[in-house]
Amino acid sequence: MSPAATRRYAVGFKSWTVYEVVVFATSMREAIAKGKALYDLNGLADFSVRDASEEPWHAQCMGLEVRS
C-alpha cells in the first residue's frame, strides 16, 4: 500500500443501537475522526443501523484500497 492510498473503513458508535457509516481513510484513527466529523455535521443522516458492539467508537477495515 502506498503512503497516499486509502482504504474503506466502517466507522460507528454504540448508543443502545450501533450506528455505522463507511469512509475512506489511511488509518483507523483517521477513519474514526472522519466518522465523528460526519456525525457532528449531519447527525445520523449518513449512518446505518447495525448489531451491538463492545466499544463506544470503532473502525473496521473493509480491505479495499483506493489510490488518491
Side-chain angles (χ1 to χ4, degrees):
M1 182 168 90
S2 73
T6 57
R7 294 177 183 247
R8 290 178 54 194
Y9 287 87
V11 179
F13 66 94
K14 181 179 177 182
S15 171
W16 293 109
T17 304
V18 174
Y19 300 91
E20 198 168 67
V21 65
V22 175
V23 298
F24 288 102
T26 57
S27 68
M28 283 190 201
R29 175 178 269 158
E30 181 185 0
I32 289 173
K34 286 183 175 188
K36 287 180 178 180
L38 282 171
Y39 177 75
D40 290 343
L41 183 65
N42 298 324
L44 294 175
D46 297 315
F47 286 74
S48 61
V49 178
R50 194 175 75 80
D51 290 338
S53 173
E54 295 287 326
E55 299 178 25
W57 277 93
H58 65 273
Q60 178 182 1
C61 183
M62 299 180 76
L64 297 177
E65 187 176 305
V66 178
R67 307 245 182 242
S68 55

